[in-house]
Structure formats: structure tokens, C-alpha cells
Amino acid sequence: MTFFAKRMTVNQTEEITNFRFYRVLLLTIGAILILTGCGGRSEQYGSVDTAMGTVVSQTLYVCGDREEAASETAAVMDLLTGLERQELSWRIEESEVARINALSDEEKAKKISQGQESPLREGMSVPISSAMGQILQQIWQVSADSRGALDVTLGRLSRLWNLDALAVETAEITVPTQEQIRTALENTGYERVRISPGTLELPPGMQLDLGAVGKGIACDRVGEYLRSRSRITGAVVAVGGSVITYGQKPDGSPWKVAITHPREEGKYLGILSLTGEHYISTSGDYERYVMVDGVRYHHIFDPSTGAPARSGLCSVTIVCDSGLLADALSTACFVLGPQQGLALAETYGAQALLVEEDGTVHMTDGMRDMYTAE
Ligand code: AMP
Ligand code: MG
């Protein structure tokens, strides 16, 4: 900057002429690239696949041919598979979360074998990557702001309820006893954890479950990838209940994202119209559940009771500028219920749509501009 300003004073006319020349040259090259690369227009390509235990659907507008578009959708899938395998999954041994959990369990077993009566009281330190540190910091902020409605330390509780069985609608579950729930809750509690750069301090035996934020984090990573690819001009990528919209359509019309009807299968509750980059996440009691004696047992737990949340809500959708936050807030608001849920979303400047079991819909003001009921 300084260099340019100084030269301007030395030979202003020449510099301005050169500057104009280069600008015209760059604009011409740019126009040729657009015309040859895209024929003046990006084409739409789609793919449906599975990753992170859910369906991933991609609609990409790519400046290139079918083969180039296929390599982009494949790259997105690789990125999601890598995120699950290396960082977030508690089931895949080599992932960072599974490694934290394994160390935590080993330490608990060691303390018990040494005859310590309260192995859970003293914290232990586990090294973590800086990416994991950043993720956990953001999660812990939402946990604090929601007074524990979001708590990713409830790994033992979610295993007790056996979420894999809940993934199949017809599955039967054995409802845990109060005693089992109490024991599982002894190993939980976000407020018992300290996060510092490179280190996580947690009570031995605590198990992390990042299921409430994983798909949102996936959308953040997809966003980073899309921004790095100049030939992708627009995209909508859905990772289960979390969606990213990016860029624009060639005709400039808004992205349409449908919100699943929580009680009428195969129907939509309404449509969100969005332009540009947004992150959308829905949490619902219809996603993984089983009915036992007329009672719905679903996968979103109230950490204060250890049972599926009964806040009166059956679906929460959040729209904001971060995938992790959208996902974290949709789960937290579901647990908090309509009034506290709306208030939490508002403190984050996020837009929210909350549906009560009787069908009553609550919305933030900004959501009214995006949402059209079916
Ligand atoms: P979501 O669909 O984003 O609301 O996340 C639900 C998943 O997060 C569940 O399948 C559990 O693995 C986990 N989970 C359930 N309840 C909570 C909670 N209150 N806080 C954090 N994670 C939770
Ligand atoms: Mg969530």
C-alpha cells in the first residue's frame, strides 16, 4: 500500500495508465474464463449418499462438466467421512473423541483397581488438538448459556438409552430404571470439565457424545470447502437435519429449504427462502424414537432428568451463520421449551422456529421474513 502510494507521487500519470491497462487486461481474461469455463452459466448437479450415519444430499452449481462436478461432490463426501473417522465419532476407535473416551475409561478402571472410593472426583488431563479445543470451547459456551440444556458429556446416558435401537422405528427398547439413569448421570456434567489450549480436563469415566453438534460442524467444514472452490458458484448441502446454503443460483432466485412436518410423515411444515450463505439445523422428536405403551421415547435428552426431553416442543429449527451453533442451539432450545428456547436463540442473534406438540408455532421476528407455512 505504502509502496504504491509513494510511486503514485513519483510518476502519477504513468502509474494510472498502467493500472488502467492491467485492469482492462484482467477483466478481459476474467470474461474469457467465464465464457469458456461455464458457457456463461453454472450447471446444476446433484448427489445423494450416506455419511456420519445419515443421508447427505448435495445440490451444487458448478462451472464445469459432469466429471468435474462429480469430483466436487466426491470431495465433499471424503471430507465428511474424514471428519467422522478422525475427529467426531465415538464409535470409530481412531477418532479423537473415541480416544478421549477410551483414556477416560482407562483412568476410571485404574483408579477403581487401586481401590479409590471416589474415582470420579479427581479430574484427569487429556491432550486435544487445537481444532477439537475450538469446537469444545464453542459447545461449552452454549452449555453455559443454556444452563446445561446442551451437555455433550452425557455419552453414558445416550448409550444407556441405546440410540442405535432408536434409529429403527420399529425397534423395541427396554426403558432404563431410575437407578440406571442416576448412575449414568453421575458420569456427566459439562461444568466439571475444563478446556484450555491443547488440554481437556475431565472426571475419569466421563464419555463425550458430540451427536448434537456433529452434523452442524460438518456443514461448517463443507462451507470452508465451498469457499475454496472458485468453480462452485452455489450449493445446498444437507447432512441429515443440518443444511448449508451457499452462493447463489444462476437465475438469482432464493434457496428453498423445507422443514419436515413433525407429525405428518412425508409432509412439510413449511419452506425457508434464503439467499447466500446460511446454516440451518432442525432437532425433532420424530427423527429417532420408539413408542412404548403410547409414550414417545426419543433421542433428545433433558440432562437434568436423564430422560427424553418433555418441554412441550416436537421440532426446533435454527438459522444462523455457523453450522455448529445452529446445531447446538436447535438441541438446546428443544430441551428448554418455547419461551426459554426463543430467548436463547435471540441472545445469539439466531432465527428460530419452534413447534409445540399441539401444533402451535413460535418464531423470532427475522424468521417471519424467511418462512412460509405449507
Ligand atoms: P440433535 O438431533 O442435533 O438434536 O442431536 C441429538 C443427539 O445429540 C442425540 O442423538 C444424542 O446423541 C445427543 N444428545 C441428546 N440430548 C442431548 C443434550 N441435551 N445435549 C447434548 N447432546 C444431546
Ligand atoms: Mg443439534
Side-chain angles (χ1 to χ4, degrees):
M1 220 33 192
T2 326
F3 178 61
F4 187 65
K6 203 168 151 200
R7 285 188 59 171
M8 284 279 276
T9 53
V10 177
N11 194 342
Q12 232 171 14
T13 335
E14 188 198 342
E15 283 301 324
I16 289 171
T17 317
N18 281 346
F19 179 65
R20 282 209 189 110
F21 169 75
Y22 287 122
R23 206 171 61 162
V24 170
L25 186 70
L26 282 174
L27 284 175
T28 314
I29 294 171
I32 291 169
L33 280 179
I34 288 169
L35 286 173
T36 52
C38 277
R41 209 176 154 87
S42 308
E43 294 293 331
Q44 183 187 328
Y45 298 95
S47 84
V48 180
D49 224 313
T50 55
M52 306 183 82
T54 193
V55 177
V56 178
S57 82
Q58 303 185 47
T59 302
L60 303 186
Y61 286 86
V62 181
C63 197
D65 60 23
R66 187 156 292 282
E67 222 169 274
E68 288 166 312
S71 81
E72 296 295 1
T73 53
V76 168
M77 290 313 296
D78 284 350
L79 185 151
L80 299 181
T81 312
L83 175 67
E84 182 185 27
R85 282 184 192 285
Q86 288 149 29
E87 297 178 62
L88 302 185
S89 173
W90 60 261
R91 292 189 190 87
I92 301 171
E93 248 175 57
E94 65 263 27
S95 88
E96 188 163 4
V97 164
R99 187 182 54 79
I100 295 168
N101 286 348
L103 288 172
S104 165
D105 263 355
E106 275 167 30
E107 184 70 11
K108 183 181 176 186
K110 198 168 99 195
K111 292 206 166 179
I112 289 174
S113 74
Q114 287 167 352
Q116 292 194 20
E117 269 177 30
S118 314
L120 301 174
R121 289 238 175 89
E122 266 172 63
M124 62 180 283
S125 287
V126 178
I128 51 170
S129 66
S130 71
M132 183 59 69
Q134 281 172 23
I135 288 171
L136 296 180
Q137 291 281 8
Q138 290 183 68
I139 297 172
W140 255 252
Q141 188 61 53
V142 178
S143 294
D145 292 337
S146 65
R147 272 172 278 126
L150 178 83
D151 191 339
V152 299
T153 70
L154 47 64
R156 249 171 227 292
L157 186 80
S158 53
R159 275 185 228 178
L160 173 67
W161 280 93
N162 198 359
L163 290 168
D164 286 334
L166 289 186
V168 186
E169 226 176 89
T170 51
E172 286 181 13
I173 58 158
T174 310
V175 177
T177 62
Q178 279 308 314
E179 181 56 21
Q180 286 175 310
I181 290 176
R182 201 187 54 74
T183 309
L185 286 178
E186 274 177 10
N187 292 273
T188 68
Y190 77 99
E191 72 284 5
R192 299 161 69 197
V193 173
R194 298 277 164 276
I195 305 156
S196 49
T199 309
L200 180 68
E201 249 181 81
L202 76 170
M206 180 177 271
Q207 298 286 289
L208 301 183
D209 168 0
L210 299 197
V213 288
K215 294 168 186 86
I217 295 169
C219 288
D220 285 330
R221 299 288 171 90
V222 172
E224 273 169 33
Y225 179 76
L226 296 173
R227 284 193 294 275
S228 76
R229 307 299 290 166
S230 56
R231 69 179 176 194
I232 303 178
T233 56
V236 183
V237 178
V239 185
S242 291
V243 182
I244 168 176
T245 63
Y246 168 83
Q248 57 182 23
K249 288 191 209 172
D251 67 2
S253 63
W255 302 114
K256 305 278 184 196
V257 178
I259 300 177
T260 304
H261 197 294
R263 290 293 178 262
E264 291 179 39
E265 227 186 301
K267 282 200 174 173
Y268 297 130
L269 186 74
I271 304 279
L272 297 171
S273 297
L274 302 159
T275 46
E277 189 168 338
H278 295 277
Y279 295 83
I280 306 108
S281 231
T282 297
S283 287
D285 67 1
Y286 54 90
E287 285 169 347
R288 285 194 226 162
Y289 72 98
V290 66
M291 301 297 287
V292 179
D293 300 331
V295 179
R296 182 184 290 257
Y297 292 93
H298 61 83
H299 69 307
I300 304 168
F301 302 109
D302 183 339
S304 69
T305 64
R310 308 259 177 245
S311 63
L313 293 172
C314 57
S315 168
V316 175
T317 298
I318 300 286
V319 181
C320 66
D321 59 7
S322 146
L324 186 153
L325 267 185
D327 205 355
L329 289 174
S330 68
T331 307
C333 293
F334 189 102
V335 174
L336 287 174
Q339 278 75 33
Q340 289 183 58
L342 264 183
L344 178 68
E346 273 162 2
T347 62
Y348 276 84
Q351 303 309 327
L353 183 139
L354 304 93
V355 188
E356 287 193 63
E357 287 190 78
D358 67 4
T360 311
V361 175
H362 306 264
M363 275 184 260
T364 52
D365 287 341
M367 181 61 85
R368 285 176 216 288
D369 303 332
M370 307 170 175
Y371 178 72
T372 314
E374 271 290 275

